[in-house]
């Protein structure tokens, strides 16, 4: 029976400096990304995003705006992996330096692409930063070929 995994990712922006909060992940997969995580049973998408940001950064976020999603579909198993995207510039609390998932810090949005990004985060940024794209859809499976860069040759469809 196909499984569906629901997750979230949140872009937190400092309203004064315009810097964004990033996490340098070291657990499960590595690289720069926005904070986020899994939706727990009995939890709303919104509440899961607020909880995950708190756990991973120490900050309390509010007034999150849903700005899109990525929908991964496994062509062999029909499993789905869905990431709901949110953004906000309203937060309080004291920023943690790091958690077991990695270091967290604010950085200029322009400098993100010069950092070692987590897998596919460069594709996700298109949704966070553009009003023209609200969904990415991608068919995938474990047997798909890799391109010459060693990255899986997936067909990202922007909607």
């Amino acid at each position: 029976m196909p499984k569906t995994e629901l997750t979230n990712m949140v872009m937190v922006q400092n309203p004064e400096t315009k810097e964004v909060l990033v996490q340098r992940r070291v657990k499960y997969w590595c690289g720069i990304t926005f904070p986020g995580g899994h939706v727990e049973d009995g939890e709303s998408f919104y509440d899961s995003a607020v909880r995950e940001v708190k756990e991973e950064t120490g900050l309390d976020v509010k007034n999150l705006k849903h700005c899109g999603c990525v929908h991964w579909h496994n062509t062999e198993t029909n499993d789905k992996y869905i990431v709901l995207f949110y953004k906000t510039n309203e937060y309080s609390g004291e920023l943690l330096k790091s958690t077991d998932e990695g270091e967290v810090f604010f950085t200029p949005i322009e400098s993100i692409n010069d950092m070692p990004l987590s897998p596919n985060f460069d594709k996700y940024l298109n949704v966070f930063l553009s009003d023209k794209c609200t969904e990415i859809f991608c068919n995938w499976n474990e047997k798909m070929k890799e391109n010459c860069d060693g990255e899986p040759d997936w067909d990202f469809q922007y909607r």
Side-chain angles (χ1 to χ4, degrees), residues 49-65:
V50 170
R51 176 186 51 76
E52 285 288 349
V53 171
K54 177 70 171 182
E55 289 175 2
E56 295 180 1
T57 72
L59 297 180
D60 295 300
V61 291
K62 63 181 182 178
N63 294 324
L64 279 65
K65 306 291 184 237

Side-chain angles (χ1 to χ4, degrees), residues 6 29 31 36-37 39 41 45 48 70 72 79 90 128 138 147 151:
L6 301 172
W29 38 268
V39 178
D41 290 338
F45 299 136
S48 72
V70 61
W72 292 88
D79 289 351
E90 296 183 48
F128 283 103
C138 187
N147 65 25
E151 293 292 320

Side-chain angles (χ1 to χ4, degrees), residues 94-111:
E94 189 171 328
L95 182 65
L96 301 171
K97 292 185 190 277
S98 67
T99 68
D100 64 334
E101 297 201 25
E103 172 189 14
V104 290
F105 57 95
F106 280 94
T107 190
I109 191 84
E110 303 82 23
S111 68

